Amino acid sequence: MIQELNGKHFDNQYRDLEPGAGDKVISLKDGCIMLGGSREEIIFPDFGELPGECRSRKYRYLFSVGEDRYFLAHDLELKGYRYEKMQYLRKGSPKEALYAGLVALQIGRFYEALQFCGRCGHPMEHSDRERMMYCPSCGNREYPKICPCVIVGVIHDGKILVSHYKGGFTDHYALIAGFAEVGETIEECVAREVFEETHLRVKNLRFYKSQPWPFSDSLLFGFFCDLDGDDHIIIEEEELAMAKWISPEEVFEENNDYSLTNEMLCKFKEDYGTK
């Protein structure tokens, strides 16, 4: 999946560091990210290659991937680089650069949203000890937002429940998914989301795998489970365009080493398909 970085370790512990030659710079502007290279090759500038006027700006340490350290900047304009929207990264490589760009955008959204205190309105300041914004006036502290979300593979009689979300992609199948509500467990979220979207009940929840998903500031929890009772689907029309049961032979997705949904569909196809 996107966070599996060809054996390189992703270390996101915050450190109060200054960039130097060899460090990568990720610049953001109006929700877009500065990239060099082609669509198939993501390139970020090296701090040592920046012109003098750019080096005097403020850079904030992001994380490291393997031996590479990444720093955040804003509104840089460099020859040979251009700004692209987040979705542009989906087909980029290498994977470590793809993931670095996605997480940088997620952290950038956090910093942008927390310029002022939500409690008293005073300008927020950066902590030099951890990735946190604090208010020197009222003491309010804010940390990056992470939203728990479930991805559910409901199985019945050798088939799996798939869907298309209203206004979403139709060139691949989705699984039932949704965000956890305040005060409920992840397991309760699974049952609620399946029932709300399809009027089906489930049992025998089996945790499969988790995945950080920077596109929506989410942490995804993948579950397989079994149908409990009637298999008649009544879709929530405000959410879904379609939901149906399909056999392993009808799963046309191939493992793209990218998303949890794709991996779970391929896992179902492997486990339940004809041997």
Side-chain angles (χ1 to χ4, degrees), residues 40-69:
E40 292 73 30
E41 182 185 19
I42 298 170
I43 296 176
F44 299 116
D46 186 312
F47 180 79
E49 299 172 354
L50 299 184
E53 64 271 18
C54 291
R55 296 190 195 186
S56 61
R57 293 194 182 195
K58 177 63 180 177
Y59 295 83
R60 192 157 302 279
Y61 176 73
L62 287 169
F63 43 73
S64 66
V65 180
E67 299 299 318
D68 292 327
R69 303 193 309 179

Side-chain angles (χ1 to χ4, degrees), residues 98-114:
L98 159 66
Y99 195 61
L102 292 175
V103 177
L105 280 160
Q106 182 177 5
I107 294 173
R109 288 196 300 271
F110 161 67
Y111 287 144
E112 182 178 0
L114 270 299

Side-chain angles (χ1 to χ4, degrees), residues 7-259:
K8 294 184 178 181
H9 177 60
F10 175 74
D11 182 358
N12 64 350
Q13 181 179 351
Y14 180 74
R15 296 174 175 86
D16 187 24
L17 300 174
E18 295 293 332
D23 292 331
K24 305 293 185 183
V25 174
I26 298 181
S27 179
L28 307 181
K29 180 179 181 180
D30 298 328
C32 297
I33 185 168
M34 189 178 73
L35 302 172
S38 65
R39 192 177 184 90
E40 292 73 30
E41 182 185 19
I42 298 170
I43 296 176
F44 299 116
D46 186 312
F47 180 79
E49 299 172 354
L50 299 184
E53 64 271 18
C54 291
R55 296 190 195 186
S56 61
R57 293 194 182 195
K58 177 63 180 177
Y59 295 83
R60 192 157 302 279
Y61 176 73
L62 287 169
F63 43 73
S64 66
V65 180
E67 299 299 318
D68 292 327
R69 303 193 309 179
Y70 289 80
F71 287 79
L72 180 66
H74 289 87
D75 301 329
L76 291 182
E77 297 292 344
L78 300 177
K79 185 177 180 179
Y81 291 85
R82 79 279 180 194
Y83 283 90
E84 299 284 358
K85 294 182 178 180
M86 190 179 201
Q87 294 296 330
Y88 184 92
L89 292 168
R90 291 183 73 102
K91 296 183 179 181
S93 63
K95 188 183 286 187
E96 52 267 35
L98 159 66
Y99 195 61
L102 292 175
V103 177
L105 280 160
Q106 182 177 5
I107 294 173
R109 288 196 300 271
F110 161 67
Y111 287 144
E112 182 178 0
L114 270 299
Q115 296 181 55
F116 297 94
C117 179
R119 180 187 294 168
C120 71
H122 194 277
M124 298 285 270
E125 296 185 7
H126 291 264
S127 168
D128 59 5
R129 298 189 305 274
E130 57 185 333
R131 198 175 308 283
M132 178 263 288
M133 301 289 285
Y134 70 94
C135 177
S137 177
C138 71
N140 183 31
R141 296 184 177 190
E142 297 285 353
Y143 294 85
K145 178 179 69 174
I146 302 174
C147 304
C149 177
V150 297
I151 306 289
V152 190
V154 184
I155 296 174
H156 174 59
D157 284 346
K159 294 185 176 183
I160 192 168
L161 179 66
V162 297
S163 67
H164 286 152
Y165 278 88
K166 200 166 185 178
F169 297 106
T170 58
D171 58 346
H172 60 260
Y173 288 128
L175 298 175
I176 299 301
F179 291 98
E181 299 286 355
V182 173
E184 74 177 351
T185 67
I186 291 297
E187 292 81 5
E188 289 169 338
C189 180
V190 169
R192 176 182 57 77
E193 284 292 343
V194 174
F195 185 76
E196 284 182 355
E197 294 188 4
T198 64
H199 278 69
L200 299 174
R201 299 189 184 276
V202 296
K203 61 183 179 181
N204 302 331
L205 274 64
R206 304 178 294 280
F207 176 70
Y208 173 67
K209 191 179 286 188
S210 65
Q211 181 183 28
W213 193 245
F215 291 98
S216 54
D217 302 328
S218 305
L219 179 59
L220 310 180
F221 295 83
F223 286 88
F224 287 107
C225 56
D226 300 322
L227 178 71
D228 185 11
D230 189 4
D231 65 357
H232 177 62
I233 300 167
I234 303 174
I235 66 169
E236 171 53 65
E237 294 184 355
E238 291 186 2
E239 293 282 340
L240 300 183
M242 173 279 290
K244 64 180 181 179
W245 300 100
I246 65 170
S247 67
E249 292 72 29
E250 295 173 279
V251 176
F252 57 81
E253 281 83 1
E254 298 295 332
N255 200 322
N256 62 14
D257 200 26
Y258 189 82
S259 72

